[in-house]
Amino acid sequence: MPRVVSVYFPQLSTERIRRHAGEALPADKPLVVVARRGSKRWISAADPAALKLGLRIGMPASKAQAMVADLLMVDAAPAEDAAALERLALWALRQYSPVVAVDGADGLVIDTEGADHLRGGEPLLISGLVNLLRGRGLTARAAVADTWGAAHALARLLTAETTVVPVDNVTKAVIDLPIVALRLPAETVQGMRVLGIDTVGQLSAMPRAPLTLRFGPEPARRLDQMFGRLAEPIEPIRTPELVEVAKNFAEPIGAPETIAKYVRRLVGQLSAWLAEDGLGARRCDLFIHRVDNTRQHLRAGLAKPVRDPARLSKLLCDRIETIDPGFGIEKMVLVAVFAEPLEERQAASPLIEEEVADITPLVDILGNRGHRLFRVAPVASDVPERSVRRIAATAPDIGEAWAVKWPRPTRLFANPERVEVIALLPDQPPAVFTWRGKRRKVLRADGPERIFGEWWRRPREFQAVRDYFVVEDELGERYWVYRAGDGIDPETGSHLWFVHGVFG
């Protein structure tokens, strides 16, 4: 079932203005955006500081200025707000899903079908999205639901940063929402309130005929869209620079082998277009338009620019079984969403025989199946957990190496685990330690290797030390344990013991 994410930006105008103005606008003064129509001026947006002072959207600008003496007032620029929202949509298109569109003047809508598993599931997807936007200086709220209408309403009417509605639970989530959730004209909402209709549940319980007779077909249509009884397709945003090829079918198709045949043809056409511009695809989206006016999509990401038709075809055809053709497919569209210059290089020398191992195709196959692939690279740090970092699986060597003479465990824990230890003397290795509920007797030990704190990072690390030991128990298993502190001076650490890794 398709799942829809709605992203709402409650402060888009004011945050855009402050970001572009920089220090020209004092950060300690409230800011409002003023819209005009003829001689009328009213507040169309206000930052949190202005809202706390009692200012509201729609309030006359003169009244707001009288209430707050040092109020910053900036004229509205709808075109600039729309351009900023479009840039955000293009960013989300490249990062999250093939189907992204602008949702009104203050939000985005994203179809995440088949894309959420690449981010660890829906809760991690939307929380990561909100956090990334916060890092860009934007306040956002996001909601996931089965329908566009439900996600749109929940993102705007709930105060939670993120909301995930379980599959098939839309009715329970929206039944008590006010009728403004239905994206109806203001005069229609006002007319319904006069009749005592305040919530979505009250409206859905009314007979359709009198409702349509009085307010037209729009309320019933919005109700059906919110509850999933009527499809509301999302028309994804596109830019002129995107390379796109399409195939319309006179007769609908549905057999997997037929779909694969036309996918390969589209990939061939796309590769030819990319070759003309000297480009390679980093991300391709395949859109499947069915005869019932619904759409499915597949996304293929690549670690490096590629325009080899066989390789691109394999990435897409491997996932054809996920396509449900329904009553038939009437159109297929293939888009190179993200393309980069592709430099041709000689693969082998005619003078010597050499084998160049290229793992990029394997990385692409595994990555498109939802696996997160990375390599571990060294970092110049004596502290073990700071001495490694993750880099892309196909990233070039960074030219650094671990400058240590002592052995390091094959598996280093991200967080050291506390152990109970019996040692003959405070500054000697453990004789017995208990880890994960099991008591282990130490037969051999090597150490200590003393590691000092990095005082230039935090002043409190100036005296901190760790004493590491490689210990072996009676079963021959080897562990990397350390004591926090030098065993004598309490200023150097807590003198507690930890397991930091195991040797394979």
Side-chain angles (χ1 to χ4, degrees):
M1 175 180 289
R3 295 284 280 173
V4 181
V5 174
S6 180
V7 186
Y8 170 51
F9 301 97
Q11 302 292 333
L12 180 64
S13 296
T14 56
E15 288 170 344
R16 178 190 61 79
I17 290 169
R18 285 200 181 276
R19 184 174 182 178
H20 286 283
E23 297 180 357
L25 290 177
D28 58 340
K29 291 187 178 182
L31 171 67
V32 296
V33 179
V34 178
R36 299 172 178 267
R37 181 178 297 146
S39 60
K40 294 184 178 180
R41 299 169 67 245
W42 69 93
I43 296 176
S44 61
D47 68 1
L51 295 174
K52 287 181 180 179
L53 294 173
L55 305 185
R56 296 290 179 265
I57 307 300
M59 177 183 290
S62 56
K63 182 178 179 180
Q65 200 167 16
M67 290 175 59
V68 182
D70 58 348
L71 184 64
L72 297 174
M73 307 181 72
V74 179
D75 289 337
E80 295 181 14
D81 290 341
L85 200 57
E86 185 174 342
R87 289 193 295 270
L88 288 169
L90 291 174
W91 169 77
L93 174 70
R94 291 184 170 93
Q95 297 292 327
Y96 288 93
S97 169
V99 183
V100 179
V102 173
D103 188 7
D106 55 9
L108 304 177
V109 58
I110 307 172
D111 184 345
T112 61
E113 179 187 7
D116 58 300
H117 70 283
L118 298 174
R119 302 277 177 171
E122 291 175 344
L124 289 178
L125 184 148
I126 62 172
S127 61
L129 172 60
V130 169
N131 289 335
L132 281 174
L133 291 169
R134 185 185 296 111
R136 291 168 171 251
L138 295 172
T139 303
R141 298 202 297 265
V144 186
D146 293 342
T147 65
W148 181 354
H152 175 99
L154 294 168
R156 285 156 178 78
L157 296 176
L158 300 184
T159 57
E161 265 195 347
T162 60
T163 304
V164 178
V165 179
V167 176
D168 296 332
N169 274 262
V170 165
T171 301
K172 183 178 179 181
V174 304
I175 200 73
D176 294 324
L177 294 180
I179 54 175
V180 292
L182 290 170
R183 297 173 289 170
L184 295 171
E187 56 273 14
T188 302
V189 172
Q190 183 60 32
M192 290 180 177
R193 284 175 173 168
V194 170
L195 297 177
I197 305 171
D198 296 316
T199 67
V200 173
Q202 291 174 339
L203 182 62
S204 64
M206 288 188 63
R208 287 293 178 93
L211 180 68
T212 303
L213 184 64
R214 177 151 190 164
F215 298 105
E218 189 68 5
R221 185 176 74 91
R222 287 302 192 188
L223 275 174
D224 288 340
Q225 288 176 342
M226 174 175 280
F227 290 116
R229 297 188 288 260
L230 182 65
E232 187 177 10
I234 302 171
E235 190 61 35
I237 190 170
R238 289 287 180 264
T239 57
E241 64 268 18
L242 294 182
V243 182
E244 179 177 318
V245 293
K247 174 64 178 178
N248 291 288
F249 303 103
E251 295 292 334
I253 65 171
E257 59 273 12
T258 306
I259 298 173
K261 179 180 71 173
Y262 284 106
V263 166
R264 287 190 285 268
R265 290 185 182 181
L266 289 174
V267 168
Q269 297 175 25
L270 185 73
S271 299
W273 278 101
L274 292 171
E276 289 183 6
D277 296 331
L279 299 174
R282 285 290 307 276
R283 187 164 293 156
C284 291
D285 293 338
L286 176 67
F287 295 90
I288 308 295
H289 297 259
R290 306 195 314 188
V291 296
D292 59 356
N293 199 31
T294 60
R295 178 167 43 210
Q296 292 180 292
H297 57 265
L298 297 178
R299 165 161 284 187
L302 299 115
K304 295 180 180 179
V306 172
R307 60 167 177 261
D308 177 18
R311 189 165 157 191
L312 290 173
S313 297
K314 177 173 176 54
L315 291 177
L316 293 170
C317 291
D318 281 351
R319 299 172 59 199
I320 282 180
E321 68 273 7
T322 64
I323 296 175
D324 178 13
F327 295 107
I329 297 170
E330 62 181 1
K331 183 180 180 181
M332 294 171 59
V333 180
L334 183 62
V335 184
V337 177
F338 191 22
E340 292 180 354
L342 179 60
E343 181 182 355
E344 299 289 352
R345 293 184 179 181
Q346 184 173 341
S349 170
L351 300 178
I352 58 174
E353 294 183 2
E354 60 179 350
E355 183 178 352
V356 179
D358 184 10
I359 65 168
T360 306
L362 177 61
V363 170
D364 292 337
I365 291 173
L366 296 176
N368 283 281
R369 291 176 181 174
H371 300 287
R372 294 187 176 185
L373 306 178
F374 60 88
R375 287 168 39 218
V376 175
V379 178
S381 175
D382 289 330
V383 180
E385 57 266 39
R386 296 176 185 165
S387 64
V388 295
R389 65 185 176 97
R390 294 182 179 183
I391 61 175
T394 57
D397 292 335
I398 61 176
E400 295 184 13
W402 284 284
V404 293
K405 298 180 180 179
W406 288 79
R408 288 290 184 262
T410 53
R411 182 188 174 197
L412 183 71
F413 298 156
N415 298 303
E417 298 184 15
R418 173 79 184 280
V419 293
E420 298 295 333
V421 166
I422 298 176
L424 299 180
L425 292 173
D427 59 348
Q428 288 191 356
V432 177
F433 69 95
T434 303
W435 178 51
R436 295 182 177 177
K438 183 177 180 181
R439 183 182 176 91
R440 294 168 170 85
K441 182 179 180 181
V442 176
L443 297 184
R444 300 175 184 85
D446 189 16
E449 175 192 359
R450 177 157 291 181
I451 293 176
F452 292 88
E454 297 176 336
W455 53 266
W456 55 91
R457 287 176 174 261
R458 297 176 183 86
R460 292 186 62 185
E461 292 191 22
F462 182 75
Q463 292 180 296
V465 297
R466 290 178 181 173
D467 283 345
Y468 279 87
F469 296 86
V470 179
V471 299
E472 182 178 324
D473 67 7
E474 65 271 19
L475 298 178
E477 296 177 347
R478 300 168 68 214
Y479 304 89
W480 205 39
V481 302
Y482 74 85
R483 180 186 60 243
D486 61 4
I488 300 173
D489 187 357
E491 293 295 326
T492 61
S494 62
H495 296 167
L496 298 176
W497 287 84
F498 298 86
V499 172
H500 205 165
V502 294
F503 292 87

